[in-house]
Amino acid sequence: MRETCDVAIVGGGVIGCAIAHRLRSEGRSVVVVEAASQLGLGASDAAMGGILTQTESSCLGRLSPVIKYSRDLYPDWLAELAELTGVEVPVLDGGDIQVALDDDEMTRLRTEVLPKWEASPFAVEQLTAAEARSLEPLLSEAVVGGFLLPEELALDPRELMAVLRATMERAGVGVRVGTRALRVESGPEGAIVELRDGGVIHAGTVVVAAGHLSGLLLPALDAVMLPIKGEAFNVRRPGFTTYPLRHHVFAEITSDGHTGYPYLVPRHDGRLAVGVTYEVGVGDPTPTAEGRAEISRWAAALMPAVADWPVERHWAGLRPASADHIPIIGYVDDHRSLLAATGHAGLGITLAPATAELVSAVLNGHADEHTRERLELCRPDRSFTSVTTDPTPAPTAP
């Protein structure tokens, strides 16, 4: 079988679907290829759902302008999806509270992290222990203080993916699920995607948004891509049918030489997503009893009541990370018909609307000064040689 389109996208997670929606809205014919039985069953399905500005260390520094761009796009982007589908994705807009459970951690936040927060384009408010517990009364009595990051948002990634699927169906995006891409290749006349079922898709451009497996299709990226496994689970606050907390909550806790990163993200129906583990280079997405126990231990230290709430679902997933935890967006071939959009390292939900806009700018061949700066930061051929593959963990998406 042979199929022809303007753009073929390999990878049907939040990044691939956001790009598909954007390009289809510009009038291009688009086909999305996804190996799983449904769009969004990979890293997007495992995401915690934070739309982050400062909690994740990669948000700070060089990536901060792209984070700001995406955060600014989010309200209108969600409103556009709601207008097209008639379905609104509930968003928690109270912000994130990052707390310290001992004086040493509070000193670290104040002296090492606060200057970075203050250098970012987002607000930050210091909290006493009493103020933190006033905002979230279930916080541990061990909390000695913290910070409110008021511009961070949170949503349920499964609900976002459901709306994106509906948007693409209404717009006539071609979707090929249960079909693995075996090879992509470019030439003077465009690019092709060869499928395991024997089909071939001919496109003017092929966008590879296949998460941590993108390097299998784009060998130039193989050495700078790695999976980072994370586990999480849902609990339900008894008696609640709305948000069980008013904020998402994060902490870094060190005990007996081990460091945990409890991250709590409330859902609008009474559930609470509880995470998260962080295993660099581990490519097996199987949830484990050890991972669940680790999360439970750290979460109970942060918010003891959570330990008594019934667990409803335990999962694991693989964050697709570039070596420097900055996305890879741009052409990777001499013919300028193979384009990478991957390496978001747990920030896929956060950066989905910005990535879609940046890919559109690349394909349209024109961009303003700020867009060129964002694309320069994310260029695929940048130097990764001096960058560690094990930076401070990301709490966002197992």
Side-chain angles (χ1 to χ4, degrees), residues 15 208-209 214 218 220-222 224-225 321-332 339-344 355 359 375 377-382 384:
I15 295 298
V208 177
S214 296
L218 302 175
L221 302 185
D222 191 46
V224 297
M225 290 288 298
S322 70
D324 59 5
H325 284 212
I326 291 175
I328 299 170
I329 302 172
Y331 290 118
V332 294
L339 195 154
T342 188
H344 292 74
T355 301
V359 169
L375 288 169
L377 175 68
C378 299
R379 57 186 294 174
D381 61 349
R382 65 185 183 268
F384 294 91

Side-chain angles (χ1 to χ4, degrees), residues 152-163:
E152 297 205 340
L153 307 173
L155 50 73
D156 187 336
R158 287 187 159 188
E159 294 180 347
L160 176 59
M161 281 304 311
V163 170

Side-chain angles (χ1 to χ4, degrees), residues 230-246:
E231 298 190 41
F233 55 78
N234 283 334
V235 297
R236 183 175 293 276
R237 186 172 182 179
F240 271 67
T241 57
T242 186
Y243 289 108
L245 304 176
R246 290 175 289 178

